[in-house]
Amino acid sequence: MLICKVIGNVVATKKEPKFKGKKILVVQPIEVDGEPYGNSFETIDIVQAGVGDIVLVTVQGSSARDALGDMKMPIDSVIVGIIDEIQMD
Amino acid sequence: MILGKILGAVVLSKMDEKLKGKTLLIVQPLNENEQPFGKPLIAIDMMGAGFGETILMVKGKEAVLRLPEPHPPIDYGVNAIVDDIFIVKEAKKRKE
């Protein structure tokens, strides 16, 4: 799973029917100190995350489909949580 | 998923049986500012996307899961045609 920051969203009227009613958000992977790294990507939100939130993203297809409760869902990542706090020693 | 821009399509003469009748698009991956990154790749079209359109595509087996069995041997699938992308600049600032 990755820590990411939500940096935007994508609007697509013509899309996979199973995506109806779900937000497609643009997320940027970040280090624990907030430093962005790598490329941003798009994912499905199931926890009502908003732009600017720090979120937890499952990036394995099978776990993503599991989280959405539909093993035939054509998705490879899902936002599974909103991170309030990161504790590091 | 990642954003992509449709550059063209490929037509196969000899192919895996399960690829018959499938539209295979040449797609250039795009970042959130719709700038190209990485090399173009081939994805199966499931949305009737046209040349030049910005799309979203899913990577891996999930690309073909919703198609009827037997699934074609494809690892990228177009699953949305993008209307708009909204990026909030300050949401990307380095330090909180």
Side-chain angles (χ1 to χ4, degrees), chain B:
Chain B
M1 293 184 291
I2 56 172
L3 290 164
K5 185 180 175 67
I6 311 267
L7 300 181
V10 290
V11 179
L12 308 177
S13 56
K14 285 247 171 309
M15 66 186 97
D16 178 307
E17 249 323 288
K18 301 187 283 297
L19 285 173
K20 281 228 161 26
K22 300 289 189 296
T23 310
L24 298 176
L25 299 171
I26 304 172
V27 185
Q28 167 60 54
L30 299 178
N31 66 20
E32 75 277 10
N33 303 314
E34 294 192 75
Q35 298 308 313
F37 76 90
K39 293 280 179 273
L41 49 89
I42 305 299
I44 183 174
D45 177 29
M46 297 188 282
M47 284 290 124
F51 288 2
E53 283 194 302
T54 299
I55 52 92
L56 273 174
M57 53 188 172
V58 57
K59 180 172 190 232
K61 181 91 172 112
E62 285 72 26
V64 292
L65 276 185
R66 60 186 288 285
L67 297 176
E69 306 270 342
H71 292 139
I74 287 171
D75 54 13
Y76 266 99
V78 173
N79 57 12
I81 297 180
V82 172
D83 298 331
D84 293 306
I85 304 169
F86 299 102
I87 297 299
V88 176
K89 268 303 159 233
E90 68 276 8
K92 279 186 71 174
K93 66 182 185 307
R94 292 203 174 267
K95 282 285 165 277
E96 283 301 88

Side-chain angles (χ1 to χ4, degrees), chain A residues 1-6 25 27 30 43-50 52-59 67 77-86:
Chain A
M1 297 206 290
L2 296 179
I3 300 176
C4 298
K5 182 174 206 124
V6 180
L25 297 180
V27 295
I30 57 171
T43 185
I44 292 286
D45 167 50
I46 59 173
V47 288
Q48 288 70 47
D53 283 347
I54 307 291
V55 291
L56 194 57
V57 185
T58 293
V59 287
S77 67
V78 171
I79 295 177
V80 291
I82 298 177
I83 298 176
D84 287 341
E85 196 189 322
I86 297 176

